[in-house]
Amino acid sequence: MKAFVLPPAGEPAVADRPVPRPRHGEVLVRTTAALLCAWDGHTAAGAAGGAGGAGASGASGGAGASRLLGHEAVGVVAAVGNGVADGLVGRRVAAEGHGPLAEYFRVPAVGAGLTALPDTITDHQALYAAGALATGFATAEGAALPPGGTVAVFGQGAVGLSAAVAGRRLGAARVIAVEPEIKRQRLALRFGADVVVDPAYEDSAERILELTGGAGVDTAIVATGAAGARTAAYRGIGRGGRVAFAQCRPAAGRGGHRLGRMLRLIGDGEVDPVGITTHEFPFARVEEAHRRLAAGEPGMIKPLVLFPAPA
């Protein structure tokens, strides 16, 4: 099979790898679609700079081993291991936080949130339910956002936008987005923000305090590594407020509970996250897609990667 890997030295590239065999309690998934994550670019840059590359998914061994990049993929169950019902074969599935950029991947049938997808949910939508949308909700829930409170979300990439959606759904009376890029500012307003603060032109903490009458926000969510975001978040919270930092891959919801909730939100028409996707590539061009995302190409937020159907 073809897989997008991070070698011990050099740039990420597509390489040939054996198709994995599902072990006891696992399923083998044939990938149909995936999303690229900016974190994979940080991972590759860290490895190139000698910082390791912690966070790459699909690690295949110890020092010197190539690692599979990616963690947001959906597909069709191609085979099952011992202890897994044969009836899963042929089912479209997603698993929260799992699925590298490879033509096939293994995932535990239990404990990883493996969920069969209803026909009403597209692969594209399911990717967000298992990835960025679930991450945004996990961050907002972990921050214990009070009903009727105020939240500021720093960074409006896929996870930040999802956190803005979560803030609104969890009962925030006001959602403030902090983002310098115009395209992301517009998406923030579309996905639940009441107002956008542009840190390129104003002191974001001072503006947040102004918008809240000096009280500050109840919760600040940092979904960016931009310089100054962390400091501004702490300066912009009110007394007793909390600052939460979005993680690339939070722990999967128990038994797929969080993934199931995201699928219901999408299926009920409460949110359609596919508007976050800005680019689409066939898997044959995944190296180009990764390079452009890692370089911070203006206007690129979340690229969709489509895998070819089996011959």
Side-chain angles (χ1 to χ4, degrees):
M1 71 172 185
K2 300 293 185 183
F4 191 50
V5 304
L6 178 63
E11 297 295 323
V14 174
D16 289 313
R17 288 290 183 272
V19 176
R21 292 184 178 182
R23 296 172 293 201
H24 181 85
E26 292 183 334
V27 302
L28 177 69
V29 179
R30 175 180 60 79
T31 309
T32 55
L35 288 171
L36 279 179
C37 178
W39 184 259
D40 289 322
H42 303 324
T43 296
S57 68
S60 58
S66 296
R67 287 167 289 179
L68 302 182
L69 290 171
H71 57 268
E72 298 170 288
V74 299
V76 177
V77 175
V80 298
N82 294 332
V84 182
D86 291 337
L88 274 177
V89 175
R91 298 293 300 272
R92 294 171 57 239
V93 295
E96 189 179 330
H98 287 75
L101 288 157
E103 292 180 312
Y104 291 88
F105 64 92
R106 293 183 309 205
V107 65
V110 177
L114 184 73
T115 301
L117 300 174
D119 293 338
T120 54
I121 300 291
T122 67
D123 285 359
H124 195 172
Q125 292 172 323
L127 286 167
Y128 282 97
L133 192 62
T135 301
F137 268 79
T139 306
E141 289 165 353
L145 174 65
T150 55
V151 58
V153 183
F154 289 76
Q156 293 297 291
V159 171
L161 288 165
S162 297
V165 172
R168 181 64 69 207
R169 289 293 161 194
L170 293 174
R174 197 172 201 187
V175 179
I176 301 169
V178 181
E179 172 58 53
E181 189 175 297
I182 292 178
K183 187 170 187 175
R184 298 183 184 212
Q185 292 176 354
R186 292 171 178 166
L187 280 173
L189 295 171
R190 173 180 167 186
F191 277 89
D194 296 291
V195 62
V196 176
V197 173
D198 190 337
Y201 292 96
E202 55 191 338
D203 184 303
S204 52
E206 289 184 5
R207 179 60 174 150
I208 287 170
L209 292 172
E210 179 184 338
L211 289 168
T212 57
V217 293
D218 298 290
T219 304
I221 294 174
V222 180
T224 175
R230 180 188 184 101
T231 299
Y234 279 106
R235 288 176 54 213
I237 59 172
R239 185 174 182 179
R242 296 189 179 191
V243 176
F245 295 88
Q247 300 179 33
C248 180
R249 299 176 64 192
R254 185 175 181 182
H257 178 60
R258 189 185 300 123
L259 172 55
R261 286 191 288 119
M262 300 304 102
L263 291 172
R264 286 192 293 274
L265 280 174
I266 295 170
D268 291 345
E270 298 296 322
V271 60
D272 189 358
V274 300
I276 298 173
T277 298
T278 53
H279 295 70
E280 183 177 307
F281 297 87
F283 181 62
R285 293 174 57 199
V286 69
E287 294 178 21
E288 174 197 346
H290 176 272
R291 184 172 60 251
R292 290 167 61 180
L293 181 64
E297 179 176 309
M300 180 177 279
I301 300 176
K302 202 70 171 171
L304 173 69
V305 178
L306 298 176
F307 287 70

